[in-house]
């Protein structure tokens, strides 16, 4: 029987954490974070990371797995998420992936093929020189000779992507178009989307920002900088962190203006999240939490799990017969 894998998606501050904790308790689940900033140790307040009490009540995975000056690639995240799901499934528990980072969620659910070919600085430099001396079209023609599928999907003017495709082929001997083909993982997914009316969501965002500042966000960021975390690092580019760095540098004059700046940028981020998680996407079962409560979400998950069990039983019966 194909094991179930529950996914909870939606914009920041919508209430994913609370719903996922309830579902994990009710359905013997363990949570896999798909938030691209919760991977980093020391970034707790600004990422709304699960509290120690919440993590004690429900097992969490992929939190605090790298230092702020490290980079976790999409390929590495995908591998870690699949490994965590396999361990959870082996315990006969329910994997519950929770996050608002659309690319990371899709990489797992859709089985993105991600070339695991590390960068080769010397080779990249040679290819860039070739593009500059012979022209981008010549480099693209070279790609078409070894990977016509990739060449057809890459604009010749996008030299960065052409260089990466050639780099992958020369380092691995396999066309990037082959490596990038999706391979759906061995799970049956239910994607639950959580949303709210926009005005209420924005009010929740403003309340969360005030709570983060009261909980010590500025002090958290100051401590990271004093620990020599690079303010230009990927970790510090997250919402709340880059604005607080600017505040500490004197670029944002007051705590009130800091809150407004984080709020503006968060609302812009929410709009991008809705581009990833479209309300019209038929693969996502949406619940407006201003209109329904946890009981309706729970009922949908329970019905899906009952269907899983019924289909598994039919499959076993057929195999035995």
């Amino acid at each position: 029987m194909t094991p179930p894998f529950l996914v909870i998606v939606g914009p920041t501050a919508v209430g994913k954490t609370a719903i996922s904790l309830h579902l994990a308790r009710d359905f013997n689940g363990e949570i896999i974070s798909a938030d691209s900033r919760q991977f980093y140790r020391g970034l707790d307040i600004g990422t709304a990371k699960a509290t120690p009490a919440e993590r004690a009540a429900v097992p969490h995975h992929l939190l605090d797995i790298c230092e702020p000056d490290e980079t976790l690639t999409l390929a590495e995240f995908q591998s870690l998420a699949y490994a965590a799901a396999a361990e959870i499934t082996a315990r006969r528990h329910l994997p519950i992936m929770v996050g608002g980072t659309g690319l990371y969620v899709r990489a797992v659910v859709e089985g993105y093929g991600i070339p695991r070919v590390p960068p080769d600085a010397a080779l990249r430099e040679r290819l860039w020189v070739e593009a500059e001396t012979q022209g981008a079209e010549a480099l693209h023609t070279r790609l078409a000779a070894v990977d016509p599928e990739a060449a057809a999907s890459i604009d010749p003017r996008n030299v960065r992507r052409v260089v990466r495709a050639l780099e992958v082929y020369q380092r691995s001997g396999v066309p990037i178009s082959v490596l990038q083909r999706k391979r759906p993982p061995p799970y049956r997914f239910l994607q639950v989307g959580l949303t709210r009316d926009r005005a209420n969501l924005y009010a929740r965002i403003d309340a969360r920002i005030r709570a983060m500042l009261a909980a010590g966000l500025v002090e958290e960021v100051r401590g990271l900088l004093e620990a020599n975390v690079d303010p230009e690092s990927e970790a510090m580019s997250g919402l709340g962190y880059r604005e607080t760095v600017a505040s500490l540098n004197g670029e944002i004059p007051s705590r009130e203006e800091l809150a407004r700046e984080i709020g503006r940028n968060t609302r812009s981020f929410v709009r991008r999240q809705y581009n990833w998680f479209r309300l019209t996407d038929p693969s996502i079962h949406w619940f407006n939490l201003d209109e329904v409560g946890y009981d309706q979400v729970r009922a949908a998950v329970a019905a899906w799990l009952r269907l899983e069990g019924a289909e598994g039983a039919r499959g076993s019966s057929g195999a035995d017969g």
Side-chain angles (χ1 to χ4, degrees):
M1 182 175 74
T2 305
F5 193 138
L6 178 62
V7 180
I8 309 294
V9 301
T12 188
V14 74
K16 296 186 298 294
T17 296
I19 293 288
S20 64
L21 287 168
H22 283 302
L23 290 171
R25 294 186 184 105
D26 285 349
F27 296 107
N28 204 21
E30 300 184 28
I31 292 173
I32 302 171
S33 173
D35 185 306
S36 63
R37 294 300 181 273
Q38 292 186 353
F39 306 145
Y40 297 108
R41 299 185 188 96
L43 277 71
D44 301 324
I45 297 171
T47 63
K49 197 176 291 178
T51 66
E54 290 167 341
R55 294 161 74 170
V58 172
H60 282 66
H61 302 266
L62 305 194
L63 299 178
D64 300 330
I65 57 176
C66 58
E67 298 298 334
D69 58 354
E70 297 175 337
T71 298
L72 187 77
T73 68
L74 182 62
E76 290 169 332
F77 165 76
Q78 185 191 54
S79 294
L80 291 169
Y82 285 151
E87 293 170 3
I88 295 166
T89 299
R91 289 191 284 272
R92 297 185 179 276
H93 291 182
L94 175 65
I96 304 175
M97 188 166 65
V98 182
T101 306
L103 179 61
Y104 285 74
V105 172
R106 283 192 178 176
V108 172
V109 172
E110 299 181 18
Y112 279 11
I114 307 169
R116 288 166 169 78
V117 177
D120 183 326
L123 174 58
R124 286 186 177 186
E125 178 65 22
R126 290 196 299 272
L127 292 170
W128 274 99
V129 169
E130 185 175 330
E132 291 169 358
T133 57
Q134 300 180 27
E137 286 284 353
L139 199 67
H140 190 266
T141 299
R142 180 174 165 186
L143 174 62
V146 297
D147 190 351
E149 184 179 337
S153 67
I154 300 175
D155 189 316
R157 295 168 295 181
N158 194 334
V159 177
R160 181 185 62 81
R161 287 190 63 197
V162 174
V163 166
R164 176 57 177 164
L166 283 168
E167 175 188 41
V168 168
Y169 179 76
Q170 292 192 28
R171 288 294 306 275
S172 70
V174 181
I176 194 172
S177 60
V178 173
L179 296 174
Q180 287 180 330
R181 288 173 188 163
K182 294 178 180 178
R183 298 173 179 83
Y187 297 97
R188 183 170 297 183
F189 290 95
L190 173 66
Q191 294 189 75
V192 169
L194 305 178
T195 188
R196 290 181 185 271
D197 298 337
R198 199 62 64 96
N200 290 340
L201 179 61
Y202 288 169
R204 287 174 61 89
I205 287 170
D206 290 339
R208 171 181 280 191
I209 292 167
R210 291 193 297 271
M212 286 178 171
L213 290 170
L217 175 60
V218 173
E219 290 72 22
E220 178 175 272
V221 174
R222 182 183 290 114
L224 290 166
L225 296 175
E226 290 174 351
N228 296 319
V229 173
D230 184 354
E232 300 298 323
S233 66
E234 181 71 14
M236 298 294 274
S237 70
L239 284 168
Y241 290 91
R242 61 176 179 266
E243 296 89 352
T244 304
V245 168
S247 176
L248 290 170
N249 289 337
E251 299 168 29
I252 298 177
S254 68
R255 185 68 63 95
E256 293 74 19
E257 181 56 33
L258 173 59
R260 285 193 290 272
E261 185 67 14
I262 297 173
R264 281 192 291 268
N265 292 335
T266 303
R267 287 187 283 276
S268 177
F269 178 62
V270 163
R271 290 190 287 273
R272 294 197 299 275
Q273 286 180 307
Y274 275 117
N275 287 330
W276 275 104
F277 308 120
R278 293 187 179 276
L279 296 173
T280 55
D281 186 342
S283 68
I284 301 176
H285 300 263
W286 285 99
F287 295 87
N288 186 326
L289 296 180
D290 289 327
E291 299 173 359
V292 303
Y294 171 71
D295 288 345
Q296 286 89 337
V297 179
R298 184 190 188 284
V301 173
W304 169 67
L305 288 171
R306 284 196 297 273
L307 178 63
E308 287 282 325
E311 291 190 354
R314 285 198 296 270
S316 298
S317 175
D320 291 341

